[in-house]
Each structure stands twice: as C-alpha cells, then as structure tokens.
Amino acid sequence: MSNSTDLKKHLQSQFYHYSTQELVILNNDLIQSNWGKNKTIFRTALLSALSKRGIDLSAIISHEDGFTQIHRVQVKLEENRLIPIQ
C-alpha cells in the first residue's frame, strides 16, 4: 500500500469523528489555503467522508471528455447537498 493510500485511510478514520458542518468548514478552509500536493489527498478523504454520510456532491462535480472533475470551490450545505458559494 502506498503512503498516499495510508494517509487517505488515516484521514478518513479521523474525519469520522467530525460533524458534517465541520467537514464543510474544513473544505472551505482548505480551498482558501495553499497547502501544496498534500491538499489533494486531504480533500479527497474529506469529500469521501461527506459522500459516505450521504451528502450529494453532484453540484461540484462535472464530466468532460471522459474525465471527472471535482471543482475546487467553497461550498455550503443545503438539504443534504453541497452547493458552490458564488
């Protein structure tokens, strides 16, 4: 198992203890920050934790040319769905 996979699993286990609102705030803080390469693993684990709680991520995901893109935007939670903040 790679170090990035280990880190992702570790982060997901830690995010289990966060409230959904705390995860949304953490996402928004992460988007505003400049963390470098580790940000991708961190945000993937964070969004995975939200998804496992049944939060709809479809408003921040697009599919273009066979690729799935998760947009780096600040969000708010409305009716169990992440909505990009304009």
Side-chain angles (χ1 to χ4, degrees):
M1 203 175 318
S2 72
N3 288 338
S4 61
T5 303
D6 291 339
L7 178 58
K8 181 181 172 191
K9 286 184 179 186
H10 170 74
L11 289 170
Q12 285 175 323
S13 70
Q14 296 303 306
F15 291 154
Y16 175 80
H17 302 287
Y18 284 57
S19 73
T20 301
Q21 189 58 40
E22 287 173 321
L23 292 174
V24 169
I25 291 168
L26 189 55
N27 173 77
N28 293 344
D29 289 346
L30 186 60
I31 296 302
Q32 288 180 337
S33 71
N34 187 14
W35 285 18
K37 289 185 176 185
N38 288 336
K39 186 187 319 187
T40 301
I41 295 168
F42 197 88
R43 186 153 185 258
T44 300
L46 189 148
L47 292 176
S48 178
L50 286 167
S51 179
K52 286 181 180 181
R53 293 179 186 200
I55 305 299
D56 180 0
L57 308 176
S58 64
I60 64 170
I61 296 175
S62 66
H63 306 280
E64 298 176 23
D65 297 330
F67 293 97
T68 300
Q69 181 178 6
I70 301 174
H71 301 280
R72 293 186 61 233
V73 294
Q74 291 187 4
V75 295
K76 62 183 176 181
L77 185 64
E78 287 186 3
E79 298 178 11
N80 217 34
R81 183 176 181 180
L82 290 185
I83 306 295
I85 297 174
Q86 303 297 346

